[in-house]
């Protein structure tokens, strides 16, 4: 039998000594794959030129314009196919949603707020404990200050995050109760004191998740992402290092000011390197060398992302219906979320935070020897965010029907999220009924007391006037002492079921059936 001809490709693979030859069959397969790729590219070029409305862009403008140039799209300043909002939805943006696909879901910014996100994750963990063990024990201060003080252990370290903080501002570690400022609105989490280290440094991952539809619920996770490193070698928190942000906090905005910050300027950003910011692909190569199973880690990450998205759905659906009312079926929205994930020394992923407005800037600040700084394009940020946003826009241009047939698209992998009704969907229906189905509407005591008019909603021990007492007890610690928001309403409904000695699910069904 004639031996198959071999081709020397060593000049193309000087960094891969184990890949020196390729067979004729492999050459043919490569040619076929390349031809198929070219056909897809030609077909894509024949598609309608996407018009991108950038009039409301902010920090992402440079990225969007780079994508417009790359794909021969068209920049417009009024009605486009895609509308990029640099800020969360406001009522004045209403008309934008009627003719364009907009990159914001109404109310998403509120749901990704630290206190509210922590609240409903804690609630889902309460009702579905097996599914929600992927985030550190979390306390909302001042509401849960008493609970935290009871469960506090001096052998543990905690991390405090301001409710409205961003980019690492105001974050600090706690080892003593006296370190807590009672008047602050903060979230306190157990600190993961044994993180997985690479190059002796702590790091976290910023992964990107895309939602393109609520009905059906269509979600994706991007295969690429960023890793943000601390700039000082890690040690377990102690009295000497607990205030060192460069050791314990991975925020780029903090670490860029350290002289140890390293910008990687090598040729291949997907390779292992020593940069302070790296691609997820390069990190997976580190993990493989360290003996971790990347497939297991990615499966666990996808599981926690899916669980989080499941918790998000009833709130997003509710807000969208409140805003657009009878026109909700005409609306097309999509949104990219940033998931901040920490791996511990066992390779277990922990969800630290979800950002509804992840940075889409592609420049980084470079500090010079004279102390001044200049902004330069970041090759890593550009590479990752072009994939994330470029492919998100392409998906947003597809119909829901076409997307339902996909298993993935380009850099995105499709996620399978359970859409079944939860107890929170029912509570939202009741809240909407009482609030008059108005976006960001709150309940007054008189509206809350309407619950007493439904069958079996008063008893010998809980009368109609007790509703006002319960209302005031729930909102006692609120800044707005006369109004109840949805998250407070959840607590009120739970307490109401207890006071009436009723099963919560059955009580909700009975109220809804009597609307």
């Amino acid at each position: 039998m004639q031996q198959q001809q071999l081709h020397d490709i060593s000049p193309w693979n000087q960094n891969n000594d184990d890949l020196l030859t390729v067979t004729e069959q492999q050459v043919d397969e490569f040619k076929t794959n390349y031809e198929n790729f070219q056909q897809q590219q030609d077909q894509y070029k024949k598609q309608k030129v996407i018009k991108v409305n950038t009039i409301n862009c902010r920090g992402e403008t440079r990225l969007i314009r780079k994508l417009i140039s790359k794909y021969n799209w068209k920049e417009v300043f009024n009605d486009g196919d895609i509308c990029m909002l640099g800020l969360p939805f406001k009522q004045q943006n209403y008309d934008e949603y009627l003719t364009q696909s907009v990159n914001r879901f109404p109310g998403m910014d509120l749901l990704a707020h630290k206190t509210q996100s922590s609240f409903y994750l804690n609630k889902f963990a309460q009702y579905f404990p097996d599914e929600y063990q992927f985030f550190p024990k979390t306390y909302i201060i001042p509401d849960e200050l008493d609970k935290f003080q009871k469960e506090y252990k001096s052998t543990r370290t905690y991390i405090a995050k301001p409710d409205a903080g961003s980019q690492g501002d105001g974050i600090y570690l706690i080892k003593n109760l006296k370190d807590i400022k009672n008047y602050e609105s903060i979230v306190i989490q157990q600190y993961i004191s044994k993180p997985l280290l690479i190059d002796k440094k702590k790091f976290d991952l910023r992964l990107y998740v895309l939602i393109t539809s609520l009905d059906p619920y269509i979600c994706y996770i991007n295969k690429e992402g960023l890793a943000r490193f601390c700039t000082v070698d890690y040690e377990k928190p102690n009295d000497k290092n607990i205030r060192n942000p460069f050791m314990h906090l991975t925020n780029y905005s903090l670490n860029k000011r350290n002289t140890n910050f390293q910008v990687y300027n090598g040729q291949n950003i997907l390779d292992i390197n020593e940069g302070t910011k790296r691609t997820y692909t390069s990190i997976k190569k580190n993990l493989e060398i360290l003996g971790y199973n990347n497939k297991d880690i990615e499966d666990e990450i996808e599981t926690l992302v899916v669980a989080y998205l499941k918790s998000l759905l009833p709130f997003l659906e509710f807000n969208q219906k409140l805003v657009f009312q009878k026109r909700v079926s005409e609306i097309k929205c999509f949104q990219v979320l940033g998931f901040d994930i920490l791996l511990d020394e066992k390779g277990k992923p922990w969800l630290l935070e979800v950002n509804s407005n992840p940075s889409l800037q592609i420049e980084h600040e470079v500090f010079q020897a004279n102390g001044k700084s200049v902004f330069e394009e970041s090759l890593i940020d550009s590479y990752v965010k072009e994939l994330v946003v470029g492919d998100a826009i392409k998906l947003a241009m597809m119909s829901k029907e076409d997307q339902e047939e996909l298993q993935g698209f380009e850099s995105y992998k499709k996620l399978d999220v359970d859409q079944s009704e939860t107890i929170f969907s029912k509570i939202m229906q009741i809240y909407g009924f009482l609030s008059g189905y108005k976006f960001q509407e709150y309940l007054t005591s008189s509206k809350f007391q309407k619950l007493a008019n439904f069958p079996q909603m008063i008893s010998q021990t809980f009368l109609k006037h007790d509703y006002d007492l319960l209302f005031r007890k729930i909102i006692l610690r609120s800044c707005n002492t006369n109004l109840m928001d949805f998250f407070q309403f959840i607590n009120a409904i739970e307490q109401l079921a207890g006071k009436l000695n009723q099963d919560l699910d059955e009580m909700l069904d009975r109220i809804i059936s009597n609307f």
Side-chain angles (χ1 to χ4, degrees):
M1 182 180 294
Q2 187 176 2
Q3 188 174 6
Q4 201 168 27
Q5 185 178 356
L6 300 177
H7 294 264
D8 182 12
I9 63 165
S10 55
W12 306 342
N13 286 283
Q14 293 176 356
N15 296 326
N16 297 279
D17 295 335
D18 57 330
L19 295 176
L20 297 178
T21 57
V22 63
T23 65
E24 289 280 7
Q25 181 181 356
Q26 290 171 319
V27 170
D28 291 338
E29 288 176 354
F30 173 80
K31 288 180 179 178
T32 301
N33 291 334
Y34 181 74
E35 288 170 358
N36 290 337
F37 171 76
Q38 286 293 98
Q39 289 174 2
Q40 291 176 6
Q41 291 295 100
D42 292 341
Q43 184 178 7
Y44 179 75
K45 289 177 182 178
K46 293 177 183 178
Q47 292 178 355
K48 174 186 174 183
V49 174
I50 298 175
K51 293 185 293 183
V52 184
N53 183 351
T54 62
I55 194 167
N56 291 306
C57 279
R58 290 169 64 87
E60 68 276 12
T61 302
R62 184 169 178 177
L63 169 64
I64 300 302
R65 286 181 173 158
K66 190 172 184 182
L67 289 169
I68 289 171
S69 175
K70 178 179 180 179
Y71 294 114
N72 293 314
W73 295 340
K74 183 178 180 180
E75 182 175 13
V76 297
F77 303 102
N78 43 42
D79 283 353
D81 302 303
I82 298 291
C83 177
M84 299 297 296
L85 296 181
L87 291 173
F89 167 84
K90 290 183 173 60
Q91 202 64 43
Q92 59 261 38
N93 301 129
Y94 182 93
D95 291 341
E96 309 277 3
Y97 284 74
L98 301 178
T99 57
Q100 305 169 97
S101 184
V102 186
N103 69 318
R104 302 281 178 178
F105 284 97
M108 180 73 85
D109 58 310
L110 301 176
L111 296 171
H113 228 251
K114 291 182 179 68
T115 54
Q116 293 179 336
S117 178
S118 299
F119 176 85
Y120 68 74
L121 279 176
N122 281 340
K123 282 296 177 186
F124 267 79
Q126 176 184 330
Y127 287 96
F128 311 102
D130 293 339
E131 298 179 44
Y132 288 82
Q133 298 181 357
F134 54 79
F135 62 99
K137 182 71 174 176
T138 303
Y139 305 87
I140 301 169
I141 308 300
D143 292 7
E144 297 180 319
L145 181 59
D146 292 343
K147 180 181 178 182
F148 173 67
Q149 289 173 335
K150 290 177 183 177
E151 298 181 2
Y152 162 81
K153 293 185 178 180
S154 59
T155 55
R156 287 180 178 156
T157 304
Y158 301 86
I159 184 167
K161 304 177 182 180
D163 179 34
S166 63
Q167 300 183 337
D169 290 343
I171 298 177
Y172 59 94
L173 270 57
I174 296 169
K175 285 192 77 71
N176 298 301
L177 285 172
K178 62 180 178 60
D179 295 332
I180 303 174
K181 300 173 184 177
N182 294 354
Y183 58 85
E184 285 186 320
S185 176
I186 59 175
V187 168
I188 293 179
Q189 289 181 327
Q190 285 187 15
Y191 183 72
I192 309 298
S193 59
K194 295 182 179 180
L196 192 158
L197 304 180
I198 291 179
D199 302 333
K200 299 181 180 180
K201 292 179 175 63
K202 177 181 173 181
F203 70 97
D204 73 357
L205 301 173
R206 162 61 62 84
L207 301 181
Y208 298 91
V209 171
L210 170 67
I211 304 173
T212 59
S213 169
L214 301 184
D215 185 21
Y217 201 22
I218 303 177
C219 309
Y220 306 85
I221 185 169
N222 203 282
K223 299 171 188 175
E224 192 53 274
L226 295 171
R228 293 89 57 93
F229 279 74
C230 289
T231 44
V232 172
D233 290 355
Y234 181 78
E235 298 173 1
K236 288 187 67 174
N238 56 49
D239 292 339
K240 293 182 179 180
N241 67 39
I242 196 170
R243 295 288 178 250
N244 188 341
F246 303 129
M247 178 183 293
H248 297 293
L249 304 182
T250 58
N251 304 74
Y252 160 74
S253 56
L254 294 174
N255 283 284
K256 70 181 182 181
R257 300 185 178 280
N258 192 335
T259 54
N260 294 335
F261 188 92
Q262 295 187 52
V263 177
Y264 176 67
N265 293 314
Q267 293 183 345
N268 194 343
I269 57 177
L270 304 182
D271 283 346
I272 292 174
N273 62 81
E274 296 180 351
T276 301
K277 185 183 287 187
R278 311 180 196 178
T279 61
Y280 181 37
T281 295
S282 73
I283 293 299
K284 287 191 284 188
K285 294 177 180 178
N286 283 111
L287 295 176
E288 187 175 356
I289 291 173
L290 292 171
Y292 292 94
N293 187 315
N294 278 306
K295 177 66 167 57
D296 290 345
I297 291 175
E298 289 182 351
D299 286 346
E300 287 192 58
I301 288 174
E302 287 180 19
T303 297
L304 77 82
V305 169
V306 165
Y308 181 90
L309 293 172
K310 176 183 175 181
S311 73
L312 210 57
L313 179 59
F315 305 99
L316 292 178
E317 285 184 319
F318 180 74
N319 282 333
Q320 189 151 309
K321 288 175 183 176
L322 292 190
V323 171
F324 300 112
Q325 303 286 331
K326 295 179 180 179
R327 304 194 69 171
V328 68
S329 61
E330 305 173 32
I331 304 305
K332 286 189 67 178
C333 303
F334 69 101
Q335 188 154 353
V336 173
L337 304 176
F339 278 63
D340 293 345
I341 293 172
L342 179 77
L343 302 178
D344 67 20
E345 63 179 3
K346 295 181 180 178
K348 173 182 169 62
W350 293 88
L351 178 64
L352 301 181
E353 194 172 315
V354 176
N355 195 321
S356 66
N357 191 31
S359 171
L360 297 179
Q361 291 187 348
I362 55 175
E363 306 89 4
H364 58 189
E365 192 174 6
V366 179
F367 287 87
Q368 300 174 320
N370 60 8
K372 295 182 179 181
S373 65
V374 294
F375 285 89
E376 299 176 354
E377 181 169 333
S378 163
L379 297 179
I380 290 176
D381 283 285
S382 291
Y383 170 75
V384 172
K385 293 171 186 178
E386 282 181 44
L387 289 176
V388 168
V389 179
D391 291 345
I393 289 175
K394 294 174 191 176
L395 279 165
M397 288 295 294
M398 294 184 187
S399 68
K400 297 178 184 179
E401 293 75 20
D402 286 345
Q403 288 190 59
E404 285 189 284
E405 298 298 319
L406 296 174
Q407 293 300 312
F409 177 82
E410 302 287 356
S411 62
Y412 280 102
K413 179 181 178 181
K414 186 90 156 287
L415 297 172
D416 184 15
V417 185
D418 182 11
Q419 295 180 242
S420 58
E421 187 177 55
T422 67
I423 197 168
F424 300 100
S425 307
K426 299 176 184 179
I427 296 176
M428 294 221 72
Q429 290 182 55
I430 298 170
Y431 184 80
F433 175 81
L434 297 175
S435 64
Y437 297 103
K438 295 179 181 178
F439 183 57
Q440 294 184 4
E441 185 72 11
Y442 298 96
L443 294 185
T444 60
S445 177
S446 61
K447 288 181 178 180
F448 180 68
Q449 289 180 58
K450 289 181 181 179
L451 288 171
N453 299 327
F454 288 90
Q456 302 176 45
M457 292 303 291
I458 57 175
S459 68
Q460 292 181 340
T461 57
F462 194 82
L463 303 174
K464 187 168 184 176
H465 71 268
D466 291 313
Y467 277 81
D468 182 61
L469 296 175
L470 176 59
F471 178 90
R472 301 200 176 281
K473 176 185 175 183
I474 294 292
I475 67 170
L476 184 62
R477 291 186 174 179
S478 171
C479 295
N480 193 338
T481 55
N482 295 314
L483 298 173
M484 175 182 286
D485 64 25
F486 173 71
F487 299 97
Q488 293 168 325
F489 183 68
I490 294 176
N491 281 335
I493 282 287
E494 290 175 331
Q495 292 191 36
L496 191 56
K499 292 181 180 297
L500 294 170
N501 196 26
Q502 295 181 17
D503 176 80
L504 177 59
D505 217 7
E506 292 178 1
M507 185 184 82
L508 298 175
D509 288 337
R510 188 176 62 254
I511 295 173
I512 292 170
S513 66
N514 284 278
F515 278 177

